[in-house]
């Protein structure tokens, strides 16, 4: 329902989908900077990036840590903005009051990803939660070609075969096999979360006190499901480039990745806007994701720790 030509604000430290969804709907993406501790969008910079054309905010729960949704919700209410939470990383994560990301207390909708690398998977696909009956009904339409046979909304009803197309929708339906896998995975969510947090604690203890390495920070009273374990490395201090570090660790059979290149620095987006996000750029210069998944054995974790620590030798 956002008018074409309006603006939406999101984080530059995310997968491109968080911004691309705006372009699909002819909304201009604007990038607010991140908080240098949490890696999540900074509500203060969201306020700075507001214009009379702003209609939407898409905060991203980066790596699983819940964004500051109370502050974002206050900004949204004050400025009559829609809020869609990108919780692709954050299924199972909890706010300080113990409630779960996805309860939509601070947003219109929350989106989740069930891609194979996520905390739970359906092979592909995802889910959307909302407390709005209107949005729920529209989502049902959009996922299935805009077609409905709901008797409450049909313009006429000549018989049980009858259906109508009310929106220009899509084929976004999850298959029954994917849904069955997802239901099975949901039953193990807390198990997966607990194991991830055990590994995170193990890493944090091992990396504490290393001058050239900064472990991820977790805000007090939050409970992240930790989709990713992202460290910050002072590459100059260890006299190795990130490329050299990744090659060195790969040789020791430790996989690494970068999450993410700031979206506003990608060629396509750099031609569209000139948003200044110095915290995001500083984060990108030093970030590196190391292995984190429930199937890791303690010996696997030890192997990763040993390889990381040896970077400075």
């Amino acid at each position: 329902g956002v008018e074409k030509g309006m603006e939406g604000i999101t984080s530059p430290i995310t997968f491109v989908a968080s911004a691309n969804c705006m372009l699909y709907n002819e909304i201009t993406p604007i990038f607010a900077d991140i908080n240098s501790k949490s890696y999540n969008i900074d509500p203060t910079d969201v306020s700075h990036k507001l214009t009379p054309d702003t209609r939407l905010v898409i905060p991203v729960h980066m790596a699983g840590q819940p964004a500051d949704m109370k502050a974002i919700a206050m900004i949204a209410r004050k400025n009559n903005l829609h809020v869609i939470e990108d919780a692709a990383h954050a299924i199972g994560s909890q706010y300080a009051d113990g409630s779960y990301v996805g309860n939509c207390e601070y947003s219109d909708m929350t989106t989740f990803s069930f891609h194979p690398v996520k905390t739970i998977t359906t092979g592909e696909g995802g889910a959307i939660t909302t407390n709005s009956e209107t949005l729920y009904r529209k989502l049902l339409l959009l996922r299935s070609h805009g077609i409905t046979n709901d008797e409450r909304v049909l313009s006429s009803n000549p018989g049980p075969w009858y259906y109508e197309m009310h929106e220009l929708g899509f084929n976004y339906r999850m298959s029954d096999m994917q849904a069955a896998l997802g239901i099975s995975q949901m039953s193990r969510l807390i198990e997966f979360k607990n194991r991830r947090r055990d590994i995170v604690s193990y890493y944090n203890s091992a990396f504490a006190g290393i001058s050239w390495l900064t472990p991820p920070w977790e805000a007090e009273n939050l409970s992240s499901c930790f989709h990713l374990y992202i460290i910050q490395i002072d590459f100059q201090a260890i006299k190795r480039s990130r490329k050299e570090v990744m090659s060195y660790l790969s040789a020791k059979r430790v996989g690494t990745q970068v999450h993410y290149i700031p979206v506003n620095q990608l060629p396509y987006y750099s031609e569209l806007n000139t948003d200044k996000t110095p915290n995001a750029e500083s984060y990108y210069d030093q970030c590196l994701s190391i292995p984190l998944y429930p199937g890791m054995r303690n010996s696997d974790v030890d192997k990763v720790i040993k390889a990381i620590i040896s970077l400075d030798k």
Side-chain angles (χ1 to χ4, degrees), residues 249-268:
L249 294 174
S250 179
K252 291 183 173 294
R253 301 183 64 80
V254 174
T256 56
Q257 187 52 277
V258 174
H259 297 93
Y260 296 94
I261 302 170
V263 177
N264 54 329
Q265 291 187 2
L266 297 173
Y268 186 91

Side-chain angles (χ1 to χ4, degrees), residues 3-313:
E3 316 95 283
K4 294 179 180 180
M6 295 296 100
E7 296 176 352
I9 298 175
T10 192
S11 170
I13 300 301
T14 182
F15 187 60
V16 295
S18 310
N20 286 358
C21 61
M22 299 190 207
L23 292 180
Y24 296 146
N25 291 279
E26 299 183 42
I27 300 165
T28 301
I30 304 297
F31 296 95
D33 209 354
I34 63 168
N35 177 289
S36 57
K37 281 189 173 182
S38 70
Y39 313 151
N40 283 324
I41 196 168
D42 183 349
T44 300
D45 203 45
V46 170
S47 294
H48 292 162
K49 297 291 173 67
L50 293 173
T51 76
D53 290 335
T54 308
R55 296 290 185 275
L56 172 68
V57 181
I58 301 182
V60 179
H61 301 295
M62 180 63 187
Q65 177 155 198
D68 188 351
M69 291 307 303
K70 283 187 178 180
I72 291 168
M74 287 179 63
I75 295 168
R77 291 190 202 103
K78 184 177 179 181
N79 295 278
N80 197 28
L81 308 177
H82 299 289
V83 179
I84 302 174
E85 299 175 66
D86 181 340
H89 295 180
I91 191 167
S93 294
Q94 292 169 274
Y95 298 111
D97 63 3
S99 63
Y100 282 89
V101 169
N103 66 3
C104 297
E105 180 179 352
Y106 309 109
S107 64
D108 298 285
M109 294 186 288
T110 304
T111 65
F112 295 93
S113 170
F114 302 146
H115 181 275
V117 303
K118 297 302 193 297
T119 303
I120 69 167
T121 185
T122 58
E124 258 296 0
I128 304 174
T129 57
T130 182
N131 295 325
S132 164
E133 182 74 17
T134 300
L135 288 173
Y136 170 68
R137 294 294 170 191
K138 187 161 187 178
L139 288 166
L140 291 181
L141 277 175
L142 291 174
R143 76 171 178 180
S144 189
H145 304 283
I147 291 174
T148 182
N149 59 4
D150 186 341
E151 295 180 357
R152 293 172 294 179
V153 297
L154 295 177
S155 60
S156 62
N157 190 9
W161 74 89
Y162 188 71
Y163 60 86
E164 295 177 347
M165 178 174 159
H166 286 186
E167 296 274 354
L168 182 59
F170 310 90
N171 184 7
Y172 283 170
R173 293 164 296 185
M174 182 182 288
S175 72
D176 288 349
M177 289 185 289
Q178 288 174 303
L181 175 58
I183 290 169
S184 172
Q185 289 268 289
M186 279 293 291
S187 69
R188 302 185 65 190
L189 175 59
I190 301 304
E191 171 195 343
F192 292 158
K193 176 181 179 178
N194 290 341
R195 178 55 182 160
R196 283 177 176 274
R197 290 188 62 85
D198 285 345
I199 296 169
V200 167
S201 295
Y202 201 176
Y203 276 153
N204 287 348
S205 296
F207 297 143
I210 298 178
S211 61
W212 49 267
L213 185 153
T214 304
W217 174 84
E218 184 176 26
E220 188 176 357
N221 296 325
L222 297 184
S223 178
S224 172
C225 199
F226 279 102
H227 167 56
L228 300 171
Y229 190 90
I230 303 171
I231 58 177
Q232 296 266 295
I233 295 178
D234 185 343
F235 295 107
Q236 289 185 338
I238 60 174
K239 298 181 174 60
R240 298 177 191 254
S241 68
R242 178 160 51 199
K243 182 179 180 180
E244 290 170 336
V245 166
M246 294 179 77
S247 295
Y248 173 85
L249 294 174
S250 179
K252 291 183 173 294
R253 301 183 64 80
V254 174
T256 56
Q257 187 52 277
V258 174
H259 297 93
Y260 296 94
I261 302 170
V263 177
N264 54 329
Q265 291 187 2
L266 297 173
Y268 186 91
Y269 278 97
S270 64
E271 296 175 3
L272 295 178
N273 69 72
T274 57
D275 295 321
K276 303 298 182 184
T277 54
N279 289 345
E281 292 160 21
S282 177
Y283 159 85
Y284 171 61
D285 287 342
Q286 295 192 321
C287 69
L288 192 68
S289 299
I290 65 174
L292 175 63
Y293 56 94
M296 290 182 77
R297 299 164 297 182
N298 289 345
S299 59
D300 298 324
V301 182
D302 286 330
K303 178 180 177 180
V304 174
I305 291 168
K306 184 178 179 180
I308 297 289
I309 292 174
S310 71
L311 285 167
D312 193 30
K313 295 181 180 177

